[in-house]
């Protein structure tokens, strides 16, 4: 499938420019990227910083455009550097031996652009904000770990990796019996088609965590069937009519495991603009319940009335007040 969405924004500051990309770099979008980088060199830019924070993937042809632009920049004594690549791009750079050419540290930090220094070209109808504030869908960087929201298409492309992470996160634990890989993939496929579905991943150079879910509210979307019954139960327990059902939260064993899980969960609630998270676990999954409790969830016990062979345990998580780590 050809990648078809890439938003390109350029902020100039003297002889230096910051090129911010959002979307995917592939056959349909590399000509636009090539043109944008060539224009930077024609304009006499000495340092081109490319921010890949909101780029989900890049293919070999896209990498060739970046490498070629870097070499052309070198011939005119300019520099091109990549910043904040995702795990897939980092791996591509490593496999092709391009990391040393493109990821070397720039000579100085990129200064913020003044409003009158801003020029932009966009390949999608969605425009980035004109100021320098972080967009809600931009990854969060902390201790080399970043959060990134995936589109449905990106989630489909990474579903096997996410399933591997889910299996690894419970391997050898008492909760392993309640986390079948096939069931995980089927649940992800079903959830991805729900209105408002959101999936976040946490990455270093590899995938270390993910969380996904969907909103439930009194607007008609959740008044019938399972959602309607769940909404009535949660409203009785908490007096909240709006919440997000976090269908899955998985974190690879890591020194910052609790912090990664907390940030994934709170970010998902913030992105959906709700103040309560809800999770349903098998009543015998003691390991899963213990993990959620360690992440700040409150176990409300088993609830009767939901469809299914067993009465699940309902856990709730209030949203935290906004903090620098989540902004």
């Amino acid at each position: 499938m050809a990648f078809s969405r890439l938003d390109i924004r350029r902020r100039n500051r003297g002889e230096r420019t910051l090129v911010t990309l959002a979307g995917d770099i592939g056959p349909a979008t590399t000509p636009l990227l090539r043109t944008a980088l060539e224009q930077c060199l024609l304009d006499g830019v000495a340092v081109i910083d490319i921010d890949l924070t909101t780029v989900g993937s890049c293919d070999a042809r896209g990498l060739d455009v970046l490498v070629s632009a870097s070499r052309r920049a070198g011939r005119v004594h300019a520099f091109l550097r990549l910043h904040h690549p995702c795990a897939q791009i980092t791996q591509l750079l490593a496999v092709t031996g391009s990391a040393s050419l493109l990821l070397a540290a720039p000579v100085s930090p990129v200064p913020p652009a003044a409003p009158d220094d801003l020029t932009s070209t966009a390949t999608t109808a969605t425009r980035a904000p004109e100021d320098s504030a972080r967009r809600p869908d931009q990854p969060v960087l902390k201790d080399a770990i970043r959060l990134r929201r995936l589109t449905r298409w990106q989630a489909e492309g990474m579903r096997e990796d996410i399933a591997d992470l889910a299996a690894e996160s419970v391997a050898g634990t008492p909760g392993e019996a309640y986390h079948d890989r096939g069931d995980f993939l089927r649940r992800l496929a079903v959830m991805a088609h729900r209105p408002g579905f959101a999936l976040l991943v946490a990455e270093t150079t590899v995938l270390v965590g993910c969380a996904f879910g969907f909103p439930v509210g009194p607007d008609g979307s959740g008044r019938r069937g399972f959602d309607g019954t769940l909404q009535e139960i949660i409203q009785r327990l908490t007096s909240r009519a709006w919440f997000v059902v976090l269908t899955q939260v998985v974190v690879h064993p890591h020194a910052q495991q609790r912090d990664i899980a907390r940030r994934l969960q709170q970010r998902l609630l913030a992105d959906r603009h709700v103040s309560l998270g809800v999770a349903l676990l098998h009543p015998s999954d003691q390991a899963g319940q213990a993990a959620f409790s360690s992440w700040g969830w409150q176990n409300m016990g088993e609830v009767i009335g939901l469809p299914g062979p067993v009465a699940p345990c309902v856990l709730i998580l209030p949203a935290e007040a906004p903090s620098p780590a989540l902004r």
Side-chain angles (χ1 to χ4, degrees):
M1 180 183 294
F3 304 124
S4 60
R5 294 176 62 87
L6 184 67
D7 185 80
I8 304 175
R9 300 198 65 83
R10 175 177 165 186
R11 291 180 172 87
N12 298 324
R13 188 71 172 185
E15 295 185 348
R16 190 166 191 163
T17 193
L18 172 63
V19 177
T20 302
L21 307 179
D24 296 287
I25 303 173
T29 57
T30 48
L32 297 164
L33 177 60
R34 180 184 294 109
T35 299
L37 298 180
E38 288 176 350
Q39 189 60 53
C40 290
L41 295 174
L42 289 174
D43 292 342
V45 173
V47 179
I48 305 171
D49 292 299
I50 301 179
D51 185 358
L52 301 175
T53 296
T54 47
V55 172
S57 61
C58 175
D59 68 355
R61 188 179 303 180
L63 178 62
D64 182 62
V65 169
L66 295 170
V67 170
S68 297
S70 176
R71 289 173 176 162
R72 288 197 302 274
R75 288 196 290 269
V76 295
H77 307 289
F79 298 91
L80 182 147
R81 298 290 183 260
L82 305 183
H83 301 270
H84 313 314
C86 67
Q88 183 268 329
I89 297 177
T90 300
Q91 184 177 14
L92 181 62
L93 292 170
V95 169
T96 59
S98 305
S100 59
L101 174 66
L102 296 173
L103 291 181
V107 290
S108 61
V110 180
D116 55 357
D117 290 329
L118 179 64
T119 61
S120 67
T121 57
T123 63
T124 69
T126 303
R127 302 277 178 161
E130 294 300 322
D131 59 29
S132 59
R134 188 187 63 79
R135 294 209 312 263
D137 61 342
Q138 284 183 314
V140 177
L141 301 175
K142 181 183 178 184
D143 301 328
I145 295 172
R146 71 177 192 168
L147 306 188
R148 181 164 62 96
R149 181 174 173 183
L150 303 186
T151 64
R152 283 189 176 90
W153 182 83
Q154 291 169 340
E156 173 64 23
M158 289 186 64
R159 69 189 194 99
E160 294 294 337
D161 292 333
I162 295 171
D164 289 342
L165 172 68
E168 291 170 7
S169 68
V170 296
T173 72
E176 186 173 7
Y178 303 100
H179 298 274
D180 178 76
R181 190 177 190 278
D183 287 343
F184 175 90
L185 286 170
R186 286 189 289 274
R187 187 164 58 252
L188 176 59
V190 171
M191 292 301 106
H193 290 89
R194 278 184 168 271
F197 169 80
L199 186 149
L200 295 174
V201 294
E203 302 172 312
T204 54
T205 55
V206 295
L207 189 65
V208 295
C210 82
F212 59 85
F214 60 93
V216 172
D219 59 352
S221 61
R223 289 181 177 173
R224 292 182 295 178
F226 181 90
D227 286 1
T229 303
L230 179 61
Q231 184 192 350
E232 292 175 1
I233 291 171
I234 297 304
Q235 193 163 8
R236 286 200 306 267
L237 290 173
T238 67
S239 300
R240 308 280 185 89
W242 288 94
F243 54 89
V244 165
V245 177
L246 277 86
T247 313
Q248 193 79 41
V249 180
V250 295
V251 182
H252 194 279
H254 189 280
Q256 299 180 44
Q257 182 177 9
R258 290 186 182 181
D259 183 54
I260 294 170
R262 182 188 64 79
R263 290 164 57 202
L264 281 167
Q265 295 162 171
Q266 293 296 334
R267 174 69 177 279
L268 196 57
L269 297 183
D271 281 358
R272 298 293 85 188
H273 306 292
V274 298
S275 59
L276 184 72
V278 172
L280 304 175
L281 296 183
H282 194 285
S284 298
D285 185 5
Q286 298 298 319
Q289 294 176 43
F292 272 73
S293 295
S294 72
W295 299 336
W297 291 73
Q298 180 182 354
N299 194 330
M300 307 298 288
E302 298 176 29
V303 295
I304 307 297
L306 287 171
V310 298
C313 285
V314 172
L315 295 90
I316 62 172
L317 179 74
E320 298 175 355
S323 66
L326 295 173
R327 289 176 181 172

